[in-house]
Amino acid sequence: MKKTFSQRLSLEALLNITLNRILYFLKPVALPLLLAVLPSFFHYGNNAAILLLSSLIRMIMFYGGVGIVLYIIILILNRGHSTQAANAAFVFLVFFNIYGVIYDSIFKLDIVQVEHYTLLPFLMLLAGYTSWFITRVKDSHSIQLWNNAVVILGVLIIFNVIKIIPAEIRKGEKTTTNESILVDANLSADPEYPDIYYIVFDEFSGFEPMRKYWHNQDVDDFVQFLKSKDFFVAEQSHGSSIDTRHQLATRLNYQEYRLDAPDAQKVWFDDIADNRAMRYLKSQGYTTVVFDEMQFAYQSAPPKNADYSFNYIQGDVANLGVFFDEFGVMIADNTMLRSLSGLYKLNDPTIEQHRNMVLFTAGKVADLDEVPSPKFVYVHLMLPHFPFMFDEDGNFVDPMFYQNWNYYLGNYKFATGIAEKMVDNILAQADPARPPIIILQSDHGARNLETESLNSVILENFPEEYKTSILFALYMPGYDTSTIPQDVNPINTFPIIFNHLFDANIPLK
Amino acid sequence: MLNMLKKYRFHILIWLFMFGYLTFAPDLYVRFVLKDGKPIQFHEKLPAATDMSSFWIDRIDPVVSQGQVLYNLWGWAFLREEPDQSQYERFIVLRSDSQDYYFLAQTNERLDVEEAFPELTIDVSNSGFSTLIAKDTIRPGSYHIGIIFRHQSGNIIYLVATEPMLVRTANQLQLISDNSQP
């Protein structure tokens, strides 16, 4: 039945009233929402080069939800006065977001005892009262406060977004500084080429620091183990820096990189992902296999170009179990959620994933029948790199010690056990007529780096020169290893092998 | 003034309760929540310090035990003339001018100590010790660390005075060591 003019008018009026009503409650939520997500934008903007956008999206969703829920609660308590409720939520969120900073400051001042069971209730009460006072401000002043705060927060977020966009674009681009590979045109693929295993243990200290600083005599057992298997062991090898990305780029491309070059990190990432050594081996008929944990430390590290990849992959956004990754933990530690840090740190499934990757790699590296030979197997494990989560038997230690360098030794011993297992497995399954080449290395030594965490404990009187002391052990039957000096430069790792195997005539540095 | 107090009595009460809570919460925490790291009663009179022991205080680490933040003090110590170290139980005593605190020490294996003293004929493989200390149970101040050896019969007690000191500040427990060893 056709509506009359008056019926249509009343329907439109009703719709208008409803819309206005919805806007009345929805519009003010912009203020607490902006403040709730600002820390995530700020911290992501400062670390965009090494983080994934999905981490930011997760945190925006989570803290946006916190802001909205807080607004709704205050709106109900404030009997529907939306602008005042928004201002009150804004004030409460200020306290929420700076709780961690206040806690750390009082803790470090060390004048007054501070505990979560005292500071949290006190600040919540203070935040509650401050929010309540804000709701008693006159309407005109409330609206003015809301307007000014929204503008300021909006500008801050836009400023951070402006920082983030170019970083995201750069991450998506690919650059390389590699020169063309010099390949001897007379070389031909030889089916009898040996399998090559390049195994990198991140932050595995050289043996001299182990003996002299840690007084760890077990390291001699490891050296003896390697020598009994006919490994050459360099006792004095040092990397040229303590940056993982710089070192891996240097060795995989056997060229020097400047530490201070523009966009250096991106260049290193790209040259690791598409590196000279693997391209050369591919040209020689090798199948390339990668076991890579680089993303455990550098989430935005691009995957390597390889025929087979077994990579550490952090859980996706849909998996709430990995909701608080390292970025999420950093944000949460600054807020009132810090008092519940045991929940989001102890149950971090990325820790379980890391352990699984280590154990999986230790077994699978020698079980690659499905991969045609000759194969080049690249392994990069973030072990004994922190978090120092393992004791020497591979059991988890409490998260409180993940950044305590007194727990590095347990992690190191566990790593030694993994290395021995890998060597045994590889040699056990190898064809005696075609023995493999095995390189055990570390990118850098124990760096004794202090972090911002209150649980960060560094070693006392740790010599600076020990930080670049690395593991360098080479198994290459048929090669006269007496020609390799004890202080071999690891940049020569692949030139030594390629010159021996392929007569590549690559000059050593 | 009285009218104001009457008008805001509810809010005043809330804040008084909060400040009362802040004042007494640490003591309540120690009494009702803290289970580990508490000092024990030690009734025997301590003798003068002996020099019959070799020892070392390694370090102090924060540790989480059943959700409680404690500190674990590590070290090793043995009596040089005692052929059977297992006859003695060990305690750690923290001594200041006004107060002593005693903690039971747990025995740990220390093969590195055995290797460091090859000339010894006694078994020192279990000379390591560790003890859990809750900082909330000791007053702020500086404490000398002592190691007590008490024979199982209870009749013989040795006290070893060490150089390192334990300093309790408002929020931390720190080991101050001058790396000296007898």
Side-chain angles (χ1 to χ4, degrees), chain A residues 175-218:
Chain A
T175 60
T176 182
T177 61
N178 277 351
E179 298 163 6
S180 302
I181 297 170
L182 297 173
V183 177
D184 186 338
N186 291 325
L187 284 176
S188 57
D190 187 336
E192 294 303 313
Y193 282 156
D195 293 342
I196 302 173
Y197 296 82
Y198 181 55
I199 302 172
V200 177
F201 287 91
D202 207 300
E203 199 126 24
F204 193 103
S205 170
F207 300 128
E208 183 183 344
M210 269 293 133
R211 294 188 189 100
K212 291 187 176 171
Y213 186 83
W214 275 278
H215 308 293
N216 173 27
Q217 308 309 320
D218 291 350

Side-chain angles (χ1 to χ4, degrees), chain A residues 106-115 117-119 121-122 125-126 129 132 215 217 398 400-401 404 406-407 455 457 460-461, chain B residues 10-11 14-15 18-19 21-22 25-26 29 59-64 69 71 74 112 115 135-136 168-172 174 179:
Chain A
I106 299 174
F107 189 96
K108 283 177 184 166
L109 266 178
D110 216 7
I111 297 171
V112 173
Q113 183 173 353
V114 63
E115 306 287 349
Y117 61 75
T118 48
L119 184 65
F122 173 73
L125 186 65
L126 190 62
Y129 265 86
W132 177 59
H215 308 293
Q217 308 309 320
D398 193 278
M400 191 151 198
F401 307 126
N404 182 333
N406 289 313
Y407 286 79
N455 296 326
V457 176
E460 288 180 15
N461 304 317
Chain B
F10 177 69
H11 302 289
I14 288 178
W15 282 100
M18 173 54 68
F19 285 116
Y21 171 76
L22 293 177
Y29 174 79
R59 66 179 196 269
I60 190 162
D61 280 336
V63 64
V64 175
V69 178
Y71 288 82
W74 302 85
D112 57 324
E115 286 171 18
K135 71 165 174 29
D136 296 307
R168 158 84 210 268
T169 60
N171 294 306
Q172 296 181 74
Q174 293 169 328
N179 288 325

Side-chain angles (χ1 to χ4, degrees), chain A residues 42-339:
Chain A
F42 172 74
H43 289 293
Y44 188 86
N46 289 338
N47 297 284
I50 58 172
L51 294 172
L52 291 174
L53 196 58
S54 57
S55 297
L56 174 63
I57 293 169
R58 264 203 303 279
M59 290 301 105
I60 290 171
M61 283 166 50
F62 178 76
Y63 288 104
V66 167
I68 291 170
V69 166
L70 187 63
Y71 167 72
I72 292 171
I73 291 171
I74 298 177
L75 185 66
I76 294 169
L77 292 172
N78 205 36
R79 296 182 201 136
H81 293 107
S82 56
T83 306
Q84 286 88 342
N87 290 341
F90 165 77
V91 167
F92 195 96
L93 282 169
V94 169
F95 285 90
F96 177 84
N97 281 331
I98 65 173
Y99 174 87
V101 174
I102 294 174
Y103 179 89
D104 288 345
S105 302
I106 299 174
F107 189 96
K108 283 177 184 166
L109 266 178
D110 216 7
I111 297 171
V112 173
Q113 183 173 353
V114 63
E115 306 287 349
H116 292 302
Y117 61 75
T118 48
L119 184 65
L120 182 64
F122 173 73
L123 275 186
M124 285 186 75
L125 186 65
L126 190 62
Y129 265 86
T130 313
S131 302
W132 177 59
F133 284 137
I134 286 291
T135 62
R136 295 164 78 82
V137 167
K138 283 186 198 168
D139 280 358
S140 57
H141 293 321
S142 285
I143 292 168
Q144 194 174 12
L145 170 64
W146 187 94
N147 286 336
N148 292 340
V150 163
V151 167
I152 292 170
L153 290 174
V155 165
L156 288 173
I157 286 182
I158 289 169
F159 176 74
N160 283 289
V161 168
I162 289 171
K163 275 169 63 178
I164 290 169
I165 290 174
E168 293 302 315
I169 292 172
R170 272 200 301 273
K171 277 194 289 192
E173 285 170 356
K174 190 169 148 52
T175 60
T176 182
T177 61
N178 277 351
E179 298 163 6
S180 302
I181 297 170
L182 297 173
V183 177
D184 186 338
N186 291 325
L187 284 176
S188 57
D190 187 336
E192 294 303 313
Y193 282 156
D195 293 342
I196 302 173
Y197 296 82
Y198 181 55
I199 302 172
V200 177
F201 287 91
D202 207 300
E203 199 126 24
F204 193 103
S205 170
F207 300 128
E208 183 183 344
M210 269 293 133
R211 294 188 189 100
K212 291 187 176 171
Y213 186 83
W214 275 278
H215 308 293
N216 173 27
Q217 308 309 320
D218 291 350
V219 79
D220 289 325
D221 294 336
F222 181 51
V223 172
Q224 200 46 48
F225 165 85
L226 291 173
K227 287 184 175 174
S228 72
K229 306 283 182 185
D230 293 328
F231 271 80
F232 162 80
V233 178
E235 293 269 6
Q236 303 294 332
S237 185
H238 283 256
S240 56
S241 74
I242 59 171
D243 190 303
T244 295
R245 299 157 295 181
H246 176 257
Q247 284 302 294
L248 289 179
T250 298
R251 296 176 207 179
L252 288 169
N253 297 283
Y254 32 105
Q255 70 179 61
E256 302 283 358
Y257 289 82
R258 277 178 47 205
L259 285 161
D260 58 352
D263 267 348
Q265 294 177 28
K266 182 160 189 335
V267 169
W268 300 337
F269 270 149
D270 289 339
D271 285 4
I272 291 169
D274 184 15
N275 63 79
R276 227 168 145 186
M278 286 172 68
R279 288 211 305 272
Y280 183 77
L281 286 165
K282 283 289 292 178
S283 75
Q284 299 302 312
Y286 273 74
T287 312
T288 52
V289 185
V290 161
F291 293 82
D292 195 3
E293 271 211 302
M294 190 110 168
Q295 289 181 335
F296 182 61
Y298 302 100
Q299 291 166 27
S300 62
K304 288 172 186 54
N305 295 346
D307 300 313
Y308 295 79
S309 284
F310 302 94
N311 292 330
Y312 169 89
I313 298 173
Q314 200 174 32
D316 58 35
V317 178
N319 183 354
L320 290 180
V322 293
F323 211 78
F324 282 102
D325 57 7
E326 206 172 320
F327 175 65
V329 167
M330 181 177 71
I331 307 287
D333 274 357
N334 282 328
T335 71
M336 285 182 177
L337 295 177
R338 174 81 167 271
S339 57

